[in-house]
Amino acid sequence: MNVLILGSGGREHAFAWKISQSNLLNQLFIAPGNAGTSEVGTNLNINPTDFNAIKEIVLKKSIEMVVVGPEDPLVKGVHDFFLDDDALKNVIVIGPQKFAAQLEGSKEFAKKFMVRHSIPTASYESFTQDNLEEGYKFLETLEAPYVLKADGLAAGKGVLILNDLQEAKDELTEMLANEKFGVASKKVVIEEFLDGIELSCFILTDGKSYINLPNAKDYKRIGEGDVGLNTGGMGAVSPVPFANEAFLKKIEERIIKPTVEGLQKDSISYKGFIFFGIIKVGDEPKVIEYNCRMGDPETEVVIPRIKSDFLELLIATGKNQLDTKTIEFQKESACTVVLVSGGYPKEYEKGKVIFGLEAVTTSIPFHAGTTRKNNEIITNGGRVLAITSFGKNFKKALERSYQNIEKLSFDNMNYRKDIGFDL
């Protein structure tokens, strides 16, 4: 089978790395990819939201499966584009159609879905500029901290958690009246703050059956001790030590099964990944958010822990045969530490030469923001590399990642030295 992966980050390199190991693979293409994906497949200089260019290459290269990495093409309807085109409709697309992708693309859509199917989540109300005053009044009924979420996609930056009521009102005004996050904040969801510890759970589903993938926990803040600005993710651990069998059973019975059954009840077709952002409040799981794709950098610890043929599972998903498959995991823990450009998540410079990659032999360096220029690998984004390692526990795995990071360098390289600090 010829396979195309859409995207250019660490998640897509992890997909490419794993799919390239399958005996079922003929040729692997990544659009646009990065310096790491070029080592396991062929990069194509195509934007993942340029559907016509994607169509052209799918037909030219006889591609039979498209695996969608990021959320943007899904929310913009790449799967629908394939289904609506006679030349493309038989190509397997891993990723939900546009309507289903609202689980991530609209916070309000996701909240209504959870309420409708009795899936535990924080209580909420949603507001627009037209009922801004009601938003102020709703904030007054809550206790600090106050959680404000832009309804639409805001590149992971549309969530504010504020301790001061007046500041929360001011930010609500900024989001609704002044479009702080652009069209993403034309509507804002205000919800109660849930106090607990977070983890991420993932499934692969054909819409009827599903397979649980390894769980993980990522670290979003730029600063050690989880302080500072939110990033795309600074590291991740899998499995999550506090997620014991009893807790995972609660997640499955109260959240995962009702979600898949809810999609069927609502006649929502779904083929692909569902990412459950879970918070453990006491001993009870609640959903913070859904994503309609795999997380990043969680993918860089989830995918390496899968022993089964990943492409075989994806083919079964496309053919509605997932109920005939089982999945096997590595027992060892996997951890990843993300190396970022100095200044990230604010302004940063690209084009810095990366040294030492050839010396990393006991970790997997997944590339995120990299490119190749004049036979050198250089930085090409905020998050540059994710250094993934195995160990008998997460501490041993992290130790190995940090040992290998000492062999790596680029100008203004930054990373967190405390991944897993709260475990």
Side-chain angles (χ1 to χ4, degrees):
M1 176 176 277
N2 292 343
V3 177
L4 170 64
I5 299 169
L6 300 183
S8 63
R11 166 184 48 218
E12 288 75 35
H13 186 195
F15 281 160
W17 171 83
K18 185 66 176 171
I19 289 170
S20 72
Q21 298 164 22
S22 174
N23 293 328
L24 301 172
L25 180 72
N26 181 29
Q27 287 183 288
L28 179 62
F29 302 93
I30 309 94
N34 57 42
T37 60
S38 69
E39 293 169 8
V40 291
T42 303
N43 286 353
L44 303 168
N45 189 21
I46 295 172
N47 187 312
T49 57
D50 186 345
F51 298 167
N52 288 315
I54 292 166
K55 173 182 176 175
E56 197 176 312
I57 206 73
V58 163
L59 297 177
K60 184 178 177 184
K61 301 290 186 184
S62 302
I63 286 162
E64 296 158 87
M65 176 187 287
V66 176
V67 181
V68 187
E71 62 274 20
D72 238 17
L74 294 169
V75 171
K76 288 178 177 170
V78 66
H79 196 148
D80 309 67
F81 179 83
F82 273 70
L83 291 173
D84 292 343
D85 191 308
D86 283 342
L88 300 175
K89 65 184 180 185
N90 293 321
V91 175
I92 293 172
V93 178
I94 302 297
Q97 294 167 45
K98 186 174 184 176
F99 186 79
Q102 289 180 98
L103 279 179
E104 177 168 5
S106 167
K107 300 289 187 298
E108 186 182 43
F109 179 92
K111 281 289 194 181
K112 285 182 173 178
F113 178 88
M114 285 184 262
V115 170
R116 192 160 60 245
H117 299 292
S118 304
I119 295 163
T121 188
S123 59
Y124 80 102
E125 294 284 348
S126 54
F127 302 92
T128 64
Q129 190 176 348
D130 295 336
N131 60 347
L132 186 54
E133 290 292 331
E134 289 175 37
Y136 298 152
K137 285 173 184 165
F138 183 66
L139 282 169
E140 288 167 7
T141 69
L142 301 174
E143 291 183 9
Y146 307 95
V147 182
L148 277 60
K149 294 183 176 182
D151 179 59
L153 294 178
K157 296 177 176 67
V159 179
L160 302 177
I161 299 172
L162 307 157
N163 286 307
D164 181 78
L165 177 60
Q166 189 53 52
E167 189 183 357
K169 289 180 177 180
D170 292 344
E171 286 292 353
L172 183 63
T173 307
E174 283 295 310
M175 291 169 83
L176 289 175
N178 302 328
E179 293 191 7
K180 177 170 182 165
F181 298 107
V183 293
S185 62
K186 277 186 176 293
K187 185 179 287 179
V188 172
V189 170
I190 301 173
E191 63 180 39
E192 68 168 325
F193 177 78
L194 297 175
D195 191 15
I197 189 165
E198 295 179 27
L199 74 155
S200 306
C201 293
F202 306 92
I203 64 167
L204 177 62
T205 181
D206 57 16
K208 292 183 172 59
S209 303
Y210 68 90
I211 283 179
N212 283 306
L213 305 180
N215 58 63
K217 176 170 171 47
D218 80 327
Y219 292 82
K220 281 277 186 272
R221 304 275 186 169
I222 188 68
E224 285 165 21
D226 254 0
V227 298
L229 294 171
N230 259 340
T231 70
M234 296 296 290
V237 172
S238 176
V240 181
F242 65 77
N244 60 26
E245 200 174 321
F247 185 66
L248 290 174
K249 191 174 181 185
K250 285 181 183 178
I251 292 172
E252 177 128 35
E253 294 299 325
R254 300 179 192 178
I255 293 169
I256 294 174
K257 280 184 181 173
T259 296
V260 176
E261 288 166 2
L263 290 169
Q264 291 175 54
K265 285 174 187 169
D266 291 351
S267 300
I268 298 173
S269 174
Y270 201 109
K271 273 189 174 61
F273 303 101
I274 304 179
F275 167 153
F276 301 83
I278 307 283
I279 188 163
K280 182 175 186 271
V281 182
D283 276 328
E284 303 307 315
K286 293 194 176 192
V287 179
I288 299 172
E289 64 177 355
Y290 288 115
N291 289 323
C292 56
R293 37 77 195 180
M294 288 294 288
D296 193 346
E298 293 102 327
T299 304
E300 290 92 308
V301 291
V302 168
I303 292 295
R305 288 194 60 227
I306 297 173
K307 287 171 79 172
S308 311
D309 185 320
F310 189 53
L311 182 52
E312 188 181 329
L313 295 174
L314 295 177
I315 291 168
T317 302
K319 293 183 174 179
N320 297 319
Q321 294 169 355
L322 206 51
D323 59 346
T324 67
K325 301 296 173 187
T326 56
I327 189 167
E328 199 179 345
F329 302 157
Q330 300 274 8
K331 287 190 170 62
E332 283 192 306
S333 290
C335 295
T336 198
V337 179
V338 178
L339 309 183
V340 303
S341 300
Y344 174 81
K346 290 188 174 179
E347 286 183 20
Y348 57 86
E349 293 180 356
K350 298 180 183 180
K352 310 294 185 183
V353 179
I354 301 168
F355 298 100
L357 276 166
E358 68 290 338
V360 178
T361 54
T362 55
S363 296
I364 309 164
F366 288 118
H367 291 235
T370 67
T371 190
R372 200 177 285 274
K373 188 178 179 184
N374 303 327
N375 289 327
E376 289 181 316
I377 294 175
I378 61 173
T379 67
N380 192 41
R383 291 188 296 165
V384 178
L385 295 163
I387 309 303
T388 298
S389 307
F390 288 107
K392 67 178 182 182
N393 55 46
F394 78 90
K395 289 179 180 176
K396 291 290 183 189
L398 279 167
E399 201 176 295
R400 183 169 286 173
S401 284
Y402 286 123
Q403 285 168 355
N404 279 294
I405 285 168
E406 288 176 15
K407 302 172 185 175
L408 294 164
S409 65
F410 55 85
D411 190 28
N412 278 333
M413 183 174 95
N414 183 29
Y415 62 96
R416 274 181 59 171
K417 299 172 184 66
D418 71 336
I419 300 303
F421 78 99
D422 53 350
L423 300 175

